[in-house]
């Protein structure tokens, strides 16, 4: 364990991976917009190329702006190594395709992110991988399926859009008894609110597009965890080529310096908005793991340091009320995505879960009038008065 690992997350988010002094005394990580890296000393070049000496050869593989970001997430999550990708879906698909081969079996929860879900229902079966999807909060069923044998257990918590909570510690233990690899998508929580490796995960994957970058201006993905596993994912990504651009890496490094400040504020804002909405007469259900009424509030309390900036709620007036409410909100982008400094809202019916039929959404426990709310860092009083005005007229 290095010095930085003993520090608080607010310190490592600023300093981890960026403790060095750069060329000309620069104090921020420079953007190395160079495809390739040249050497005058042939022995040095060949040693770097053969992995005998640290250094960079070609930016599809490694780059000096990208590496500090990988080191930052590695220290923040308590992993042994990390690698990066052009998007969150690249991180997830490369991780799954690295380890899952014909005749392997994978167990996953049903409530994974839409893109991840497509990999489980469409692409992996094409490769002759046996996919078992389980009810997200039926831990007995997940355990039973894992005990039948599997190569990999795939979890995500909190989930999208109904904020279900999965017991990582309990399920990781059963998976390890079977020799399975445990992968957790930690995009919603970030290492500030939840560190799956401490709970038993082998690999944590992220869409860095969301809270980690935090400003809705670049895309990226990360995978962090056990060194030998990350090395295998890195090897797959080196060849398949879903590389993170150095400019995007710089933007995510910059965004992550304020991660703790942003997440603390978003945790507070989401809690206040959830409490306000749960008392409102026009609101039907509120889904937020911080509410005591939440199905898995106790597990959330146990495994999370904060309940996150994401919540969702349904309206008694149905989808017509959703259509009336959303345009009235002044301080909320009506857009897909989440985890930005500005509040973002959208109905899963026409965004993340548009491909499902009404019946499939009902089976997934997603009300037709559900609104997903990604709390930004604004002042919560203004967010609540914005909702108050909108709800009065819908
Ligand atoms: C957005 C998201 C992804 C996919 O990330 P991209 O950067 O859009 O590819 C994966 N998982 C979760 C939980 C997400 O919210």
């Amino acid at each position: 364990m290095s010095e930085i690992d003993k520090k608080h997350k607010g310190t490592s988010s600023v300093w981890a991976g960026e403790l060095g002094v750069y060329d000309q005394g620069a104090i921020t990580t420079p953007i190395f917009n160079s495809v390739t890296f040249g050497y005058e000393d042939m022995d040095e070049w060949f040693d770097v190329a053969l992995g005998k000496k640290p250094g960079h050869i070609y930016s599809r593989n490694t780059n000096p702006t990208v590496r500090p970001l990988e080191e930052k997430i590695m220290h923040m999550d308590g992993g042994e190594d990390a690698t990066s990708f052009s998007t969150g879906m690249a991180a997830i698909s490369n991780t799954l395709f690295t380890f899952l081969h014909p005749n392997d079996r994978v167990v996953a929860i049903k409530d994974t992110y839409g893109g991840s879900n497509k990999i489980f229902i469409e692409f992996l079966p094409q490769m002759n991988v046996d996919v078992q999807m389980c009810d997200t909060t039926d831990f007995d069923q997940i355990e039973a399926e894992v005990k039948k044998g599997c190569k990999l257990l795939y979890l995500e918590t909190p989930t999208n859009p109904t904020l279900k909570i999965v017991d990582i510690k309990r399920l990781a233990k059963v998976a390890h008894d079977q020799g399975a690899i445990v992968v957790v998508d930690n995009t919603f929580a970030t290492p500030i609110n939840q560190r799956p490796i401490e709970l038993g995960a082998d690999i944590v994957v992220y869409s860095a597009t969301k809270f980690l970058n935090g400003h809705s201006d670049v895309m990226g993905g990360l995978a962090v965890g056990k060194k030998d596993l990350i090395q295998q994912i890195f090897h797959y990504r080196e060849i398949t080529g879903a590389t993170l651009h150095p400019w995007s890496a710089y933007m995510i490094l910059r965004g992550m310096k304020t991660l703790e400040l942003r997440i603390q504020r978003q945790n507070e804002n989401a809690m206040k908005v959830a409490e306000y909405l749960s008392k409102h007469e026009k609101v039907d259900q509120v889904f937020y793991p911080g509410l005591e009424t939440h199905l898995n509030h106790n597990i959330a309390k146990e495994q999370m340091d904060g309940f996150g900036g994401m919540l969702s709620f349904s309206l008694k007036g149905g989808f017509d009320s959703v259509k009336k409410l959303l345009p009235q909100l002044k301080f909320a982008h009506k857009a897909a995505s989440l985890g930005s400094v500005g509040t973002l809202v959208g109905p899963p019916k026409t965004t993340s879960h548009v491909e499902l039929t009404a019946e499939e959404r009902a089976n997934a426990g997603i009300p037709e009038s559900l609104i997903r709310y990604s709390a930004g860092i604004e002042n919560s009083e203004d967010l609540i008065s914005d909702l108050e005005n909108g709800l009065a007229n819908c």
Side-chain angles (χ1 to χ4, degrees):
M1 193 182 263
S2 69
E3 184 69 22
I4 196 75
D5 292 315
K6 296 180 201 128
K7 301 297 174 199
H8 298 278
K9 297 296 162 199
T11 305
S12 54
S13 73
V14 176
W15 287 101
E18 298 185 281
L19 278 159
V21 176
Y22 300 103
D23 196 24
Q24 308 291 325
I27 66 159
T28 53
T29 301
I31 304 174
F32 288 92
N33 272 331
S34 188
V35 164
T36 188
F37 301 89
Y39 293 85
E40 291 302 322
D41 180 331
M42 297 302 107
D43 288 332
E44 190 191 357
W45 182 15
F46 302 149
D47 281 349
V48 173
L50 293 170
K52 290 184 190 161
K53 245 182 140 176
H56 303 278
I57 295 288
Y58 189 59
S59 280
R60 170 153 43 75
N61 310 342
T62 67
N63 172 282
T65 309
V66 174
R67 188 58 196 162
L69 172 62
E70 295 168 345
E71 287 177 4
K72 193 183 289 294
I73 198 70
M74 175 185 94
H75 288 294
M76 292 198 72
D77 263 304
E80 296 167 1
D81 202 354
T83 190
S84 57
F85 304 86
S86 51
T87 65
M89 276 319 301
I92 293 164
S93 60
N94 279 254
T95 298
L96 292 171
F97 295 144
T98 296
F99 298 111
L100 293 171
H101 305 127
N103 304 319
D104 282 339
R105 184 163 184 271
V106 57
V107 176
I109 53 164
K110 277 187 188 159
D111 289 55
T112 51
Y113 175 76
S116 316
N117 205 61
K118 279 271 161 203
I119 295 181
F120 290 119
I121 61 179
E122 189 175 336
F123 298 151
L124 286 171
Q126 282 170 3
M127 291 167 49
N128 226 358
V129 172
D130 178 10
V131 178
Q132 179 65 50
M133 310 224 335
C134 301
D135 278 345
T136 302
T137 51
D138 186 346
F139 307 139
D140 291 336
Q141 190 208 351
I142 302 172
E143 273 197 13
E145 289 299 338
V146 168
K147 280 181 182 162
K148 289 180 192 164
C150 69
K151 176 91 182 281
L152 191 146
L153 171 66
Y154 189 89
L155 307 173
E156 180 179 325
T157 180
T159 65
N160 182 20
T162 49
L163 288 301
K164 290 177 186 156
I165 299 294
V166 180
D167 190 336
I168 300 173
K169 205 180 207 170
R170 172 175 167 183
L171 298 173
K173 194 180 171 304
V174 188
H176 285 154
D177 289 344
Q178 295 295 322
I181 300 166
V182 179
V183 181
V184 178
D185 182 337
N186 201 39
T187 300
F188 271 33
T190 82
I192 301 299
N193 283 338
Q194 175 172 277
R195 288 169 303 284
I197 291 171
E198 292 173 6
L199 299 165
D202 300 299
I203 299 165
V204 179
V205 288
Y206 287 103
S207 169
T209 313
K210 314 291 173 51
F211 289 99
L212 294 182
N213 172 62
H215 295 72
S216 285
D217 50 9
V218 293
M219 304 194 78
L222 293 162
V224 48
K226 295 231 166 75
K227 195 173 185 76
D228 61 322
L229 301 177
I230 296 297
Q231 284 298 319
Q232 292 178 61
I233 302 169
F234 166 68
H235 174 64
Y236 189 88
R237 192 270 285 155
E238 270 190 302
I239 305 305
T240 53
T243 302
L244 183 65
H245 192 279
W247 168 257
S248 302
Y250 172 81
M251 295 297 276
I252 300 166
L253 275 172
R254 180 182 158 119
M256 281 183 71
K257 294 195 174 74
T258 55
L259 186 65
E260 188 186 50
L261 288 174
R262 286 186 285 109
I263 297 293
Q264 282 172 348
R265 178 64 161 243
Q266 284 164 316
N267 287 345
E268 284 169 25
N269 282 356
M271 188 73 203
K272 286 179 187 160
V273 167
E275 281 173 343
Y276 164 78
L277 289 170
S278 54
K279 289 183 203 116
H280 200 286
E281 59 182 21
K282 291 187 181 172
V283 173
D284 189 16
Q285 296 182 79
V286 180
F287 301 92
Y288 186 63
L291 296 176
E292 277 175 23
T293 51
H294 184 281
L295 177 66
N296 293 124
H297 175 66
N298 286 335
I299 301 170
K301 236 170 44 185
E302 184 75 28
Q303 73 182 11
M304 302 180 81
D305 291 339
F307 299 113
M310 299 299 301
L311 63 121
S312 61
F313 61 101
S314 60
L315 296 177
K316 287 182 184 155
F319 198 65
D320 284 344
S321 296
V322 174
K323 270 168 79 179
K324 280 188 209 141
L325 171 65
L326 294 184
Q328 296 185 69
L329 299 178
K330 290 198 185 67
F331 305 117
H333 297 289
K334 277 68 72 178
S337 201
L338 56 104
S340 195
V341 286
T343 294
L344 277 152
V345 291
K349 176 182 159 76
T350 60
T351 56
S352 55
H353 293 71
V354 67
E355 281 130 19
L356 274 59
T357 63
E359 197 189 339
E360 286 169 335
R361 279 191 293 272
N363 285 339
I366 301 170
E368 293 296 279
S369 68
L370 193 72
I371 296 173
R372 193 180 68 183
Y373 191 97
S374 168
I377 62 166
E378 302 92 338
N379 186 295
S380 61
E381 286 176 24
D382 295 327
L383 294 179
I384 288 170
S385 72
D386 204 24
L387 284 162
E388 180 110 350
N389 292 336
L391 284 165
N393 300 305
C394 78

